[in-house]
Amino acid sequence: MPGKIVPPVSAMYGKPDTSMHAPADAPADRLRLFFQQAPGMIAILSGPDHVFEFANTAYLDLVGRHEVVGQRVRDVLPELEQQGTVALLDKVYATGEPFIGRRMPVTFPRQANAPAETRYMDFVYQPVVDDQARVTGIFAQGFDVTRQVETEAAFSESEARYRLFSEETREGVVIHNGDVILDCNPAYARLFGYGDVAEVVGLPSTAFVTPKSAALLQEKGALGSEEPYEIEAIRKDGSVFPAEFVGRVATWKGQKVRIGLARDLTERKRREAALRESEAHFAAIFDQSAAGLAEADLTGRLLRVNDRFCEISGYAREELVNGRRMQDITHPDDLPGNLVLFQRSIETGEPFDIEKRYVRPDGSEVWVSNTVTLIRDALGEAHSMASVSIDLTARRDAEAALRQSESRLRLALDAGRMAVWESDSRTNTVRTSPELNRLLGFPEEASPSIEEIRARYAPGAQDRLRAAAAAALARGERNAEEELEILWPDGSRHWLLLRADLEVMTGEDGAVSIKATGVAFEITERKLWEERQRLLINELNHRVKNTLATVQSIALQSFRHTNAATGSNVTAFQERLFALARAHDILTRDNWEGAELRDIVGEVIEPYCRESSGRCDIDGPRVRLTPSMALALSMAVHELATNAAKYGALSVSDGQVSISWSIAPGEPRQLTLCWQERGGPPVAFPARNGFGTRLIERSLAQELAGEVSLAYVPTGVVCTVKAPLPEAMA
């Protein structure tokens, strides 16, 4: 307690010590609890102005006020100054001599706007002195003896006045001679469950307490004790309840009796139990909280911690609350700023938040978020500091990982010369990075508007970007990719590859907008290389065609002076050159990166099917061939078609040719192509193998790294080709 010396409870009717000191190691909290629950009235006054430093429940109940701590006696009870009570306090404070008052009348209103009441008090004013014997306050203890005084007055005046008093009071009043009940008021009878006073009179005095408490009742009566005490009371129906008894010796109708008062303590006990339960509840919350909770005094010394705080700090509870301070476990680098905030909070009462590190016993560090709040006592003075600690280790680790990830991303972007950008169609804005500015031909520190950026798009580029985004969203995809041609102010052409993540947003007004975040790569060199490659391939194709034309011319010149110049051999040779040229044309369209099987078959057989409309059936899945496979199959299909037109199914009007293929799964996948003729002249096994047969059976199988079989069945020629498909061919 703020008073430097706490006096013990004095005997009311003995001469008090002229100077009283509390033991240096007096447990103040226990004394305060004892004073609070004492049945007598106790108050502690501080200083010459007699400021209430403490007042127990009995005192507050008497004066009918509940907010007295911190106020002067003359302000709380101004009537006492007029009646000389304040003057008595002044005298005790000035002289250091105690004052004992017996049955002294005090008049004051016990409730606001209520008339003044006169109460009779037995009390003592005990001076409180410090180590230098200086008076610092007054310890006041007393009992309200109004009822006793009034009871005695009533007895001396008349039986009627006694009855009036006893019936009006709310407490149970009883008169007994130690053995039996002589009289009581109706409140006493009701308190113990009896219908009227007549049922109570004549009963043993011990009939109203449990056997366990009967001895205590008789002991108090034998000693003549006038101090209140608690007892187990029993009602007429046998139910037990807590009660407070107090009595004194008096004379009634010429005999020595004991007049007692009884009060039911059930409600008070219920409130006390509720308070204990509430305190236990909050204690459980404190101990079991997921956050680290701690209380420290104004010097930083830890007073109380919960289990979570121990887990975070790494210390056992006993280590923390046995003299260790907040300063002892705070990282030295974080302590100066923490102390500034700590002291400022004590001075201003303002809470503060801080992120700092605790140093654990093993030397490791843990980051916490601390919220610190000042706790005030009943007088409004700073009492202690409460803190809530949240472990930030996971968050800090995540932030560090994020920083590392961002650093790696930044290095990757810089190494790959990638530019980052973000656009929003709702606001029609774009955010660029310095690298993107460079790619667009702006200074790195520039912040170009969306209009300035679009002004550098090549014609049609913006429409292609929108079409690419729309196509991706239509497919249910969030990622889009498109090439963008840029025209710099100096007239140079540049190309960027844009890749974006698309987010569709709907505003409160229902308007739909697209937010895109992505990267940009410069592909100008690649585009220029592709253009040069196309020129080179076109030139190569031109030279191949010229070469084929030269070969044809040389062949005709060579056959001119022979009988074979106009024969079938020359024609076959020319047709094979034409087939080779058509295959080259298909590969040329795809820059010699491969060709579709359907295109190869269709291109070669088209002249024969054109003359035999409806008799050629081509069927099979999409298959892309390498250039070498395309050329080999082109020549083989040409030989089969030529043979069918001369001797087979295509040589008659009812003949048909079916060309089909399939792909079998596996590693690698297997291509199976089947050429089958039906409805032609009867087929017989040839007497000798010509060039076409050798081309198909040997060269094709070798080029495809597969198998080729020719079957000369009577219904028509059947050629089956089986070859593995290289990886990535489909």
Side-chain angles (χ1 to χ4, degrees), residues 621-624 661-666 668-672 725 729-730:
R622 184 175 180 269
V623 183
R624 190 162 183 82
W661 60 88
S662 62
I663 300 176
R669 290 169 300 165
Q670 192 80 10
L671 169 67
T672 301
L725 283 176
M729 291 289 104

Side-chain angles (χ1 to χ4, degrees), residues 216-231:
L216 178 61
L217 178 68
Q218 293 175 340
E219 178 187 346
K220 293 292 185 181
L223 295 174
S225 172
E226 298 184 3
E227 297 290 333
Y229 60 96
E230 290 187 17
I231 205 166

Side-chain angles (χ1 to χ4, degrees), residues 83 111 163 201 212 401 446 461 495 604 619 629 633 640 643 665 723:
Q83 298 171 45
Q111 301 292 337
R163 286 295 176 189
V201 174
K212 177 182 177 182
W495 284 268
V604 173
D619 182 50
M629 292 179 71
L633 280 173
L640 289 169
N643 184 71

Side-chain angles (χ1 to χ4, degrees), residues 45-108:
L45 308 176
S46 176
D49 290 333
H50 315 306
V51 175
F52 279 100
E53 192 171 323
F54 173 82
N56 71 351
T57 302
Y59 189 98
L60 297 175
D61 288 344
L62 173 68
V63 301
R65 294 159 175 79
H66 298 284
E67 300 292 336
V68 302
V69 174
Q71 303 184 55
R72 301 184 305 174
V73 170
R74 56 173 47 90
D75 296 329
V76 175
L77 300 167
E79 299 83 358
L80 299 187
E81 186 168 14
Q82 300 173 3
Q83 298 171 45
T85 301
V86 175
L88 288 176
L89 294 171
D90 291 339
K91 182 177 179 181
V92 171
Y93 191 92
T95 65
E97 294 294 327
F99 176 84
I100 299 175
R102 301 182 185 276
R103 289 171 169 75
M104 295 190 66
V106 182
T107 303
F108 58 93

Side-chain angles (χ1 to χ4, degrees), residues 41 45 112 134 169 189 242-243 293 315 322 403 419 442 538 542 666:
M41 292 166 289
L45 308 176
R134 292 176 299 188
T169 186
L293 303 181
Y315 288 90
N322 287 337
R403 286 193 297 270
F442 292 102
N538 290 338
H542 180 69

